[in-house]
Amino acid sequence: MKKIGIFIGLLLAVSACEPRGIENISVGIVWKAQTVKENGQLVYQAGNANNIRPGYERFRIDLTSKESALYTDIDGRKLTGTWEISSGNKSLMLSNLVPAPSETGGIIEFFVIDLITKRNLHLKRTSESRKTGQTINEYQLVPE
């Protein structure tokens, strides 16, 4: 009986140490821009009346479904597709985007900069954005 108790205790300890799936943190959340940097320059901060790029007010990444994503770009254009987080939670990939953004093959990928929580999603595009003049953009996102 003592061995069973030890086994159950070890099993619980091991399962508590396993990394939590990112889907559990980000499903059910529509993310909006809190701040955005283009090539390192701050161009948008929520609530600032003097933003260089006020269009980021419309920017959204909707991950409320495990099967699909809705991406709303700086110009308000809505794209639908699928999403996944890489193993190790290093990147977020939006794929099969329709309509496909120019020169992307329907894929937009982001590096995950910080630990994802229910209140924070910090991303950096892995490729240039044509809509913002070929800049590499960094997004500090919060729940809508």
Side-chain angles (χ1 to χ4, degrees), residues 57-115:
E57 174 65 31
R58 296 182 290 257
F59 184 88
R60 299 287 186 278
I61 299 178
D62 182 340
L63 303 177
T64 55
S65 168
K66 289 183 181 182
E67 292 81 37
S68 63
L70 177 62
Y71 177 78
T72 307
D73 211 339
I74 183 174
D75 60 359
R77 184 177 185 201
K78 295 180 186 294
L79 313 171
T80 58
T82 57
W83 68 278
E84 67 180 298
I85 297 286
S86 68
S87 63
N89 303 333
K90 303 277 188 223
S91 66
L92 166 66
M93 183 179 301
L94 304 177
S95 50
N96 304 311
L97 292 170
V98 177
S102 300
E103 298 182 21
T104 65
I107 297 171
I108 298 176
E109 187 173 8
F110 304 90
F111 292 118
V112 176
I113 304 297
D114 294 323
L115 178 67

Side-chain angles (χ1 to χ4, degrees), residues 11-132:
L11 186 60
L12 289 173
V14 168
S15 66
C17 294
E18 290 180 9
R20 298 181 189 266
I22 199 75
E23 297 85 358
N24 295 333
I25 293 171
S26 53
V27 167
I29 297 176
V30 176
W31 297 97
K32 68 178 184 175
Q34 181 69 31
T35 62
V36 180
K37 294 178 182 177
E38 294 177 355
N39 288 341
Q41 179 187 7
L42 183 67
V43 296
Y44 176 81
Q45 184 171 2
N48 184 348
N50 299 315
N51 284 313
I52 296 169
R53 298 260 195 193
Y56 281 113
E57 174 65 31
R58 296 182 290 257
F59 184 88
R60 299 287 186 278
I61 299 178
D62 182 340
L63 303 177
T64 55
S65 168
K66 289 183 181 182
E67 292 81 37
S68 63
L70 177 62
Y71 177 78
T72 307
D73 211 339
I74 183 174
D75 60 359
R77 184 177 185 201
K78 295 180 186 294
L79 313 171
T80 58
T82 57
W83 68 278
E84 67 180 298
I85 297 286
S86 68
S87 63
N89 303 333
K90 303 277 188 223
S91 66
L92 166 66
M93 183 179 301
L94 304 177
S95 50
N96 304 311
L97 292 170
V98 177
S102 300
E103 298 182 21
T104 65
I107 297 171
I108 298 176
E109 187 173 8
F110 304 90
F111 292 118
V112 176
I113 304 297
D114 294 323
L115 178 67
I116 298 173
T117 69
K118 290 181 179 181
R119 295 192 175 128
N120 179 54
L121 180 59
H122 189 179
L123 304 173
K124 186 173 185 176
R125 275 189 69 146
T126 62
S127 61
E128 296 174 333
S129 170
R130 292 193 63 200
K131 288 197 177 173
T132 59

